[in-house]
């Protein structure tokens, strides 16, 4: 597969709090960094990283009756990219989950399904037609981003070797991807 200026690499939530030892660690999450660094050396038209960037009293936190422990608070070390991630190829950063009252799994839309992050407009302005999605967690933010990308008309490729999930088995999710024409693409084919 040939990567061109019409392709974007999306790096979803590769942040310290989601990686090994973090406040909301995805099992083996740190393993995504090396394949992402390798992909980022390809000639993508854009390489965009998303970050959860939560206020201190975010609605997703257990202390606010949400489902998750405190994680990725804006400006903290947990919200930063890991030192192992080569940030030099990243062309843009999209911060999400910035409102105290709304969460945002997808890098395109908040969970209210009305508030946009700006990612779609950015990609369209850059002439992007295909997106290659990596990161954590495959069964939450990566999946939400992939489904939104497909609904917005992009050709979507999820790279399983560059993703990690919370669930042990993602076969149901992969079936949903297939129905939504989201392709699972081997890292070796890119």
């Amino acid at each position: 597969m040939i990567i061109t200026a019409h392709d974007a690499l999306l790096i979803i939530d590769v942040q310290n709090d989601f990686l090994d030892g973090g406040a909301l660690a995805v099992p083996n999450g740190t393993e995504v960094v090396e394949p992402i660094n390798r992909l980022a050396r390809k000639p993508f038209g854009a390489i965009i990283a998303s970050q959860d960037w939560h206020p201190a009293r975010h609605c997703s936190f257990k202390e606010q009756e949400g489902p998750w422990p405190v994680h990725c608070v804006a400006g903290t070390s947990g919200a930063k990219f890991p030192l192992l991630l080569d940030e030099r190829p990243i062309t843009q950063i999209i911060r999400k989950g910035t409102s105290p009252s709304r969460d945002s799994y997808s890098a395109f839309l908040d969970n209210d399904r009305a508030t946009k992050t700006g990612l779609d407009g950015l990609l369209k302005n850059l002439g992007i037609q295909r997106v290659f999605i990596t990161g954590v967690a495959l069964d939450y933010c990566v999946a939400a981003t992939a489904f939104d990308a497909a609904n917005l008309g992009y050709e979507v490729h999820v790279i399983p070797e560059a993703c990690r999930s919370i669930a042990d088995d993602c076969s149901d999710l992969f079936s949903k991807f297939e129905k939504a024409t989201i392709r699972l693409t081997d890292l070796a084919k890119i």
Side-chain angles (χ1 to χ4, degrees), residues 43-54:
F44 287 96
I47 298 176
I48 301 168
S50 70
Q51 285 179 303
D52 267 8
W53 203 251
H54 297 317

Side-chain angles (χ1 to χ4, degrees), residues 56-143:
R57 299 176 61 80
H58 192 251
C59 64
S60 72
F61 300 162
K62 286 182 180 175
E63 291 80 357
Q64 309 303 317
E65 309 302 320
W68 308 114
V70 173
H71 65 280
C72 298
V73 173
T76 65
S77 61
K80 292 181 180 175
F81 298 124
L83 293 176
L84 294 172
L85 181 67
D86 184 0
E87 294 182 50
R88 291 171 298 180
I90 296 172
T91 56
Q92 287 93 7
I93 296 170
I94 296 288
R95 291 187 168 151
K96 59 192 186 67
T98 59
S99 167
S101 60
R102 283 190 315 274
D103 205 359
S104 184
Y105 289 172
S106 170
F108 287 97
L109 292 166
D110 283 1
N111 290 0
D112 67 0
R113 310 305 300 151
T115 307
K116 298 175 182 180
T117 64
L119 179 57
D120 183 41
L122 173 63
L123 294 174
K124 288 203 167 53
N125 285 338
L126 293 170
I128 300 299
Q129 298 167 357
R130 287 191 303 187
V131 294
F132 293 79
I133 305 177
T134 64
V136 294
L138 175 60
D139 40 349
Y140 284 88
C141 296
V142 170

